[in-house]
Amino acid sequence: MSATVHEPARQTPLHARVDVLVVGGGPAGLAAAVSAARGGARTLLVERYGFLGGMGTAGGVTNFAGLYGTRGGQMQLLVRGVAEELLSRIEALGGLNAPQDGLQGRIRVRSYDVAAYKCAADGLVLEAGVQLLFHAWAAGVVMAGANENPSIDAVLLETKSGRVAVRARQVIDCSGDGDIAHFAGVPFTYGDGAGNALYPSTMFRIGQVDAPRAQAAVGEFKAIDGLMERAAGRYAFPRRGAILRPQRNPSEWRANVTQLRNAAGQAANATDAAELSAAEVDGRRQITEYMRFLRAEVPGFERAEISEIAAQVGVRESRRVHCQHMLTGDEVQGSARFADSIGLNAWPVEQHVDGGVQWGFFHDAANAHNQLPWRMLVPVSNAQAVSNLLVAGRCAGMEHLGQSAARASGACFAMGQAAGTAAALRVQGGFSLEALQHSLREQGADLG
Ligand SMILES: Cc1cc2nc3c(=O)[nH]c(=O)nc-3n(C[C@H](O)[C@H](O)[C@H](O)COP(=O)(O)OP(=O)(O)OC[C@H]3O[C@@H](n4cnc5c(N)ncnc54)[C@H](O)[C@@H]3O)c2cc1C
């Protein structure tokens, strides 16, 4: 029996012809779309779910990291621009928590309500003039141009109306998994190149928590590890380094405690349909086991219940697209500076390894951030860029350790804003690094 099926050639209806197509509506994609539209480009944002936010909503992350870091010894907001606007809108809807410090004051994060994020993102994107197409899955590309100068002629989408095509002068891959770059033949590396990616987690939220008693019992991240150690043997814990923190409503907590493996014990691969499917089931199994532990062993959680399990497995890392610059862990930890900076990352290296979490902090605690170079958004293909493609977010040009840091939402917003601004400048024929940096500064972005 043949292992393939021959599909007949077909004529695919053209859904839209735009200046800029953004695929994926996570932090990178929504910032890219807003910036491209504000830059004067007719912009379409395509998202497979019926809402924006990416891992931040569909993956149940419920927490902004990497927006705040130190500069000159002062902890401050370092990712500004579109991210700051989104935070203001979430706050106006009553869905943003006050900043929370952690890891002995090395990090500052802000948790949020998922529903408020979804509503705030709709308003931000639509008011910028972006066209939205939800429930649309990018499934392929049609290429144009000779091998030496390839470009994307059209992106193919599967929708409830059937398969459609979109023609765009510029395409920005914000799919998180580098789907478009992969379809276009741009090389990538999966995880560390030896089959080990950061382990995924299914996120969930817990309601009915007795906040003061829970806070006293769990305190900082490490206290929960002590409680788990004492109970080990009676429960199957997938990892150490559990993160249990209150949301804006203090009786609701987010739990980042699961770890999803494939049959070989490596991180479940989010680009493998069968592994991803099995991981969904395993994530929910791990959650029920963790709830058994919390209710029986942790003060304040006796009456706790699961208030939500994320719509999908939380994917930290899959394809890292080969770009003109691949941000390294050393560059993050060394607070690297680049002449072609387009924004900042303020999150340390956070590796989700087998059974636990390993941190790699900035060496200079007083300047805990690094610049992000423009070149990490420009994909290479046989040393030649696909001329109308940019990549932003967790699948952009980063080495495994660099991605372990700059995959946090903060840097993804910064990359997206830069990619969208650059795409609009390219459409108008006015792109140069100086023009990009000038425009980003005018928009309030902090390039360091
Ligand atoms: C378990 C977990 C915990 C985390 N904790 C934190 C945290 O506390 N704070 C923090 O800031 N960050 C955290 N992160 C990291 C952060 O959430 C992500 O790295 C970030 O959301 C990446 O943004 P992105 O826009 O690059 O991609 P994503 O957020 O993954 O968004 C990609 C979007 O593209 C869509 N998409 C994908 N493929 C297609 C396709 N083919 N066609 C159409 N649409 C497509 C997806 O539906 C999604 O909306 C965590 C991540 C995980 C998994």
Side-chain angles (χ1 to χ4, degrees):
M1 194 176 70
S2 167
T4 60
V5 171
H6 176 75
E7 282 190 83
R10 57 197 288 181
Q11 292 294 309
T12 303
L14 191 62
H15 170 79
R17 196 187 286 272
V18 292
D19 293 329
V20 176
L21 169 65
V22 180
V23 176
L30 68 88
V34 166
S35 308
R38 286 182 181 163
R42 283 173 305 138
T43 303
L44 176 68
L45 173 56
V46 163
E47 164 57 47
R48 74 163 177 232
Y49 290 118
F51 51 85
L52 301 173
M55 288 300 132
T57 52
V61 164
T62 68
N63 186 46
F64 290 124
L67 295 169
Y68 293 84
T70 57
R71 176 157 48 198
Q74 294 295 312
M75 181 66 85
Q76 54 192 265
L77 185 65
L78 291 176
V79 179
R80 310 197 82 115
V82 176
E84 204 175 359
E85 290 178 56
L86 179 68
L87 259 64
S88 303
R89 284 174 181 257
I90 298 175
E91 190 155 38
L93 294 172
L96 189 66
N97 209 346
Q100 297 171 312
D101 291 346
L103 297 175
Q104 294 83 43
R106 288 189 177 103
I107 58 163
R108 176 169 291 178
V109 299
R110 298 196 75 171
S111 62
Y112 54 80
D113 172 53
V114 168
Y117 188 157
K118 290 177 183 174
C119 298
D122 284 346
L124 179 63
V125 163
L126 291 173
E127 284 172 36
V130 175
Q131 299 170 49
L132 270 176
L133 188 65
F134 282 135
H135 300 296
W137 182 293
V141 297
V142 177
M143 296 299 288
N147 280 347
E148 311 80 55
N149 190 20
S151 65
I152 295 174
D153 175 37
V155 174
L156 301 171
L157 309 174
E158 296 293 352
T159 76
K160 277 289 186 183
S161 313
R163 176 176 277 225
V164 297
V166 173
R167 280 215 161 97
R169 295 167 69 188
Q170 294 289 319
V171 179
I172 309 178
D173 185 345
C174 298
S175 66
D177 296 321
D179 285 359
I180 303 301
H182 174 50
F183 297 147
V186 183
F188 67 88
T189 301
Y190 169 79
D192 66 357
N196 305 299
L198 299 179
Y199 280 77
S201 299
T202 303
M203 297 286 289
F204 64 109
R205 295 200 310 282
I206 304 164
Q208 306 291 350
V209 179
D210 180 344
R213 290 174 57 245
Q215 193 72 60
V218 172
E220 265 243 5
F221 299 153
K222 289 218 161 26
I224 187 67
D225 276 352
L227 291 166
M228 286 163 61
E229 247 160 52
R230 279 212 298 279
R234 298 197 297 283
Y235 304 92
F237 295 121
R239 72 175 220 222
R240 289 172 49 79
I243 301 170
L244 264 187
R245 303 283 283 165
Q247 296 296 103
R248 188 164 185 278
N249 168 356
S251 68
E252 184 179 86
W253 286 45
R254 70 178 176 280
N256 182 344
V257 301
T258 62
Q259 188 166 83
L260 304 168
R261 297 170 172 71
N262 61 20
Q266 293 175 311
N269 183 343
T271 62
D272 179 313
E275 284 192 21
L276 188 57
S277 180
E280 294 285 4
V281 176
D282 195 37
R284 289 188 282 272
R285 184 194 59 74
Q286 292 182 19
I287 288 169
T288 54
E289 173 69 351
Y290 203 78
M291 287 302 292
R292 191 169 74 83
F293 155 73
L294 285 177
R295 288 191 188 113
E297 312 280 347
V298 184
F301 286 86
E302 296 86 350
R303 295 178 50 243
E305 55 190 42
I306 301 171
S307 56
E308 189 180 33
I309 295 179
Q312 73 146 82
V313 162
V315 180
R316 294 188 169 87
E317 181 187 23
S318 59
R319 298 189 191 100
R320 294 181 289 94
V321 176
H322 290 193
C323 289
Q324 290 179 359
H325 184 90
M326 301 296 279
L327 186 76
T328 69
D330 285 343
E331 287 167 344
V332 170
Q333 289 189 264
S335 302
R337 300 185 64 76
F338 298 99
D340 59 343
S341 170
I342 47 83
L344 302 179
N345 162 62
W347 197 246
V349 174
E350 179 194 349
Q351 278 187 278
H352 285 253
V353 296
D354 191 9
V357 184
Q358 284 173 3
W359 293 90
F361 295 104
F362 293 89
H363 301 312
D364 179 0
N367 290 293
H369 65 274
N370 64 280
Q371 292 180 319
L372 300 165
W374 153 245
R375 287 160 293 148
M376 66 187 283
L377 309 181
V378 186
V380 293
S381 180
N382 303 323
Q384 194 82 47
V386 177
S387 57
N388 62 346
L389 177 65
L390 294 171
V391 183
R394 67 181 166 84
C395 53
M398 298 174 268
E399 295 290 353
H400 177 60
L401 289 180
Q403 200 270 0
S404 301
R407 68 186 169 83
S409 323
C412 291
F413 282 119
M415 286 185 243
Q417 182 155 2
T421 304
L425 287 169
R426 279 180 166 186
V427 164
Q428 286 144 11
F431 177 81
S432 67
L433 178 61
E434 295 68 34
L436 172 61
Q437 291 177 323
H438 176 75
S439 175
L440 289 171
R441 286 200 183 93
E442 293 237 301
Q443 294 168 42
D446 192 335
L447 310 192

